[in-house]
Amino acid sequence: MSELTSNLLPATNEDTCGPYFPIYFADPALEDLTRFDPGVVGQAAGTPIILRGRVLDRHGDLANGALLEFWQANAKGVYRTPATEGEDDVDPWFHGYGRLRTASGAYGYRTILPGAAPGRAPNITLTIFSDGINRIVTQIFFEGQTGNDTDPVLLSVGAEAPKLIAKHDGRTAGGCEVYLFDVVMAGPGETPFFDDLES
Amino acid sequence: MGKHGRVLGIGPTDNTSDQRTPRQPLRLIPEVARSSFVPVVPARYVTNPHEWDMTRTAPDRPRADGVPIEVTGRVCTASGRPVPNALLEIWSANLYGRYRHIEDHSGLRLDENHLGMGRVLTDDEGRYRFWAISPGAYLARPDIGRWRPKHIHMSISGGASRMITQMYFPDEPNNASDPMAILMGDAFERNIGKPRDPGGTDVEEGYDFDIVIGGRNATFFE
Ligand SMILES: [Fe+2]
């Protein structure tokens, strides 16, 4: 990483997650953002969805042991950040951050369909940690959303935009709309990834 | 900066790195979309009171085999702002190089007194502390005799600061051949714990490991 701005401290290097991120650190509340503990009343606003897919390597094999992190706006398109603290449209029952470790490389993540932030199509930021790499980051969009044609991130990848759009699989499961999104980490069909550390 | 972002390096002799490292240069984030790429992890106080001491599986159990160490440090952003209430998730191999993980099929020796997993929170100044067993190195590529040098994995999440890294140990013979250390080049030095006197605590070695979270995300809301 370039450190031309010399008044910044030199950053600790990121490193690979390795294959053994402890399953013990799993948090069910982060694997399903619509979930509440038994006996607790509360409900994130919005349309529940399941995002399903596979994380694939350069040879088309499943990337086992990957750690996936998700970040999104609430149903009204508002992110819960220091910048939106106290705003009326922050959903008290939805923080927008999810995480799961996939043992096999296939995943299923339950959340709500994000709303559109100003000037954007609904999307979920996906960060992948795994053995062999430092983090890689992309954004997932949803088939059929009106803002997709004008979204700056989708436009920025040109003809590769379809690689970032999750497809509705034509059915619901457990009251959730099901979307399918595969990630290709490397090689033919590689998913576009973004430089979130420097750009 | 040119028209694209970083080109990610592939760790030499690391098969998984070859299989999983994107080959295309990273794309630049359009400025209007920049803020959407900053995950803000909600405060997560998910640790048990005894987990800071990874030299035992529980307070009333004996010490695991090996040298007990204390690791302390401060988590801050590249601009020097401390990251308080950050969750550190820590995992490491036992003295024999084995993880107590269901997917570790190395066959190396398990230690009934070693879990190798713990979580601690940083305080208001971003400081943290934990005890661990100085981990064993393990043979990562038996075919070419390449070892992973001893290391402790750490995952840090606090607000817009997010990092997964490893702390290495000074003067270890396998440091120089580690694929990720090779990619880090001279900056590898930052990922080595600094030995210090453990003082009066019930451990044999002490290490300081300050963690600086770099990149635009960590300083986005400052
Ligand atoms: Fe490791």
Side-chain angles (χ1 to χ4, degrees), chain B residues 177-210:
Chain B
S177 58
D178 188 69
M180 291 302 154
I182 292 168
L183 290 183
M184 292 175 205
D186 290 344
F188 175 66
E189 181 190 338
R190 301 173 199 165
N191 286 49
I192 298 176
K194 292 186 176 56
R196 63 167 170 76
D197 191 323
T201 50
D202 186 22
V203 292
E204 290 176 34
E205 296 174 3
Y207 293 89
D208 271 327
F209 186 59
D210 289 340

Side-chain angles (χ1 to χ4, degrees), chain A residues 7-141:
Chain A
N7 51 357
L8 293 179
L9 298 170
T12 306
N13 301 283
E14 294 197 302
D15 205 335
T16 145
C17 183
Y20 304 130
F21 184 84
I23 296 166
Y24 172 68
F25 294 155
D27 184 346
L30 295 182
E31 298 181 2
D32 175 358
L33 298 194
T34 68
R35 170 191 181 276
F36 275 80
D37 288 321
V40 177
V41 179
Q43 182 63 60
T47 305
I49 63 168
I50 298 175
L51 193 57
R52 275 188 194 146
R54 301 170 299 164
V55 184
L56 301 166
D57 71 12
R58 191 160 74 89
H59 307 295
D61 293 328
L62 286 163
N64 61 298
L67 186 68
L68 310 181
E69 298 195 349
F70 303 88
W71 171 245
Q72 67 173 96
N74 68 22
K76 291 187 169 168
V78 176
Y79 289 92
R80 193 195 278 191
T81 73
T84 59
E85 198 176 327
E87 286 185 13
D88 288 346
D89 285 341
V90 168
D91 181 345
W93 302 114
F94 189 78
H95 52 64
Y97 167 80
R99 177 174 95 172
L100 59 87
R101 178 184 186 273
T102 162
S104 68
Y107 73 94
Y109 173 59
R110 198 176 284 238
T111 182
I112 54 124
L113 187 67
R120 299 299 312 283
N123 68 82
I124 297 178
T125 296
L126 171 66
T127 305
I128 302 175
F129 299 93
S130 110
D131 191 21
I133 59 162
N134 298 337
R135 70 147 167 246
I136 51 176
V137 177
T138 193
Q139 285 192 336
I140 303 168
F141 295 80

Side-chain angles (χ1 to χ4, degrees), chain B residues 85-200:
Chain B
N85 304 316
L87 177 68
L88 264 69
E89 293 163 304
I90 305 146
W91 67 107
S92 53
N94 67 19
L95 173 65
Y96 311 105
R98 176 79 182 264
Y99 289 89
R100 194 168 279 279
H101 191 293
I102 197 164
E103 294 160 13
D104 183 343
H105 302 298
S106 64
L108 295 169
R109 185 171 158 189
L110 281 165
D111 176 346
E112 293 314 314
N113 295 313
H114 190 266
L115 269 180
M117 309 169 220
R119 295 170 288 196
V120 297
L121 296 167
T122 60
D123 68 12
D124 290 345
E125 276 95 49
R127 293 183 193 287
Y128 71 89
R129 174 174 84 117
F130 64 88
W131 287 357
I133 292 295
S134 190
Y138 51 88
L139 192 55
R141 282 284 304 272
D143 52 330
I144 58 170
R146 177 175 65 71
W147 291 67
R148 280 241 60 209
K150 51 197 267 186
H151 61 276
I152 297 178
H153 295 270
M154 294 186 205
S155 166
I156 303 101
S157 35
S161 295
R162 181 78 184 95
M163 168 180 273
I164 290 182
T165 189
Q166 300 179 29
M167 185 190 96
Y168 295 83
F169 292 78
D171 306 321
E172 285 294 314
N174 304 302
N175 281 350
S177 58
D178 188 69
M180 291 302 154
I182 292 168
L183 290 183
M184 292 175 205
D186 290 344
F188 175 66
E189 181 190 338
R190 301 173 199 165
N191 286 49
I192 298 176
K194 292 186 176 56
R196 63 167 170 76
D197 191 323

